Amino acid sequence: KDRDVLGFYSGLIGGSIALVFDWIFNKLGLTDRVYSETACGVWVNNKRQTKTFTGHFLGVITTLILSMLGGVAKTHRVTSGGRDHVIKKGIVFGMAFGAVINGLTSAFAVNKLKPMKPMSHLFYAVTSAIYGLITTLCISKFGHDSLFDQAPTNDYLKPTNETTEEGKDNLPIVAK
């Protein structure tokens, strides 16, 4: 019933699945390097350090933290906008969020690990779309119904929509 916790877990699930797809795309030769190496490049000084276990671990942690923050932002957006069109909302959010994060990590002067292949950027966008889709589906599926209730427009008129709690017991709606 907590938007932030729902966002953390949804972002963690979406980010984990996106990392798996990113790894698959890299193993197929479609990208220069996995995104966790690019994220690690912000923190280390040279390319060799990103290839170590510690470098990969640092990149994965960075990627998952950013994924959880994106999950929280998307949770607040979805719970205020409703569960309709979650696939479209998820893909658009994921691609926009991924573009912003990719741009920020590539723009750091110390980051020497910018992807060189044009296809890398395309598959980063696909991975970001997968992240957004999975995150939004998790929010919609696992979020408690009360998170999606509409806020009352005023306190003077009798409400026309039942809240989740009122709908459970089929109690009559009583104006204040």
Side-chain angles (χ1 to χ4, degrees):
K1 289 188 176 184
D2 186 309
R3 285 180 175 90
D4 291 337
V5 173
L6 176 62
F8 289 144
Y9 286 123
S10 298
L12 185 64
I13 292 168
S16 299
I17 292 172
L19 282 173
V20 169
F21 273 93
D22 186 43
W23 181 80
I24 291 169
F25 292 151
N26 182 260
K27 291 299 175 194
L28 292 174
L30 301 171
T31 59
D32 293 357
R33 60 188 55 87
V34 291
Y35 186 75
S36 57
E37 288 180 19
T38 305
C40 177
V42 173
W43 306 110
V44 299
N45 291 328
N46 61 38
K47 184 178 179 179
R48 190 181 70 231
Q49 290 175 321
T50 64
K51 300 283 186 189
T52 65
F53 173 78
T54 312
H56 276 287
F57 184 72
L58 180 62
V60 167
I61 294 299
T62 302
T63 303
L64 291 178
I65 288 171
L66 291 171
S67 296
M68 290 190 299
L69 291 175
V72 171
K74 189 59 187 173
T75 299
H76 285 277
R77 194 63 209 114
V78 169
T79 56
S80 66
R83 289 180 166 149
D84 56 335
H85 308 291
V86 291
I87 293 174
K88 293 176 195 171
K89 290 176 181 179
I91 291 171
V92 170
F93 167 76
M95 291 181 76
F97 186 73
V100 168
I101 297 301
N102 194 15
L104 288 175
T105 55
S106 295
F108 284 113
V110 295
N111 191 353
K112 313 244 184 319
L113 294 173
K114 300 172 189 159
M116 297 300 167
K117 287 183 184 177
M119 292 297 286
S120 290
H121 294 290
L122 176 65
F123 283 99
Y124 284 165
V126 170
T127 303
S128 296
I130 291 168
Y131 157 74
L133 177 64
I134 298 298
T135 301
T136 308
L137 288 173
C138 286
I139 293 165
S140 179
K141 178 73 175 163
F142 301 131
H144 191 268
D145 289 341
S146 65
L147 295 175
F148 297 90
D149 283 340
Q150 292 180 344
T153 53
N154 62 47
D155 292 333
Y156 302 111
L157 299 176
K158 182 178 176 181
T160 57
N161 294 334
E162 290 183 342
T163 64
T164 305
E165 295 300 319
E166 291 170 337
K168 263 198 227 174
D169 301 326
N170 291 326
L171 296 174
I173 300 172
V174 180
K176 291 184 178 183

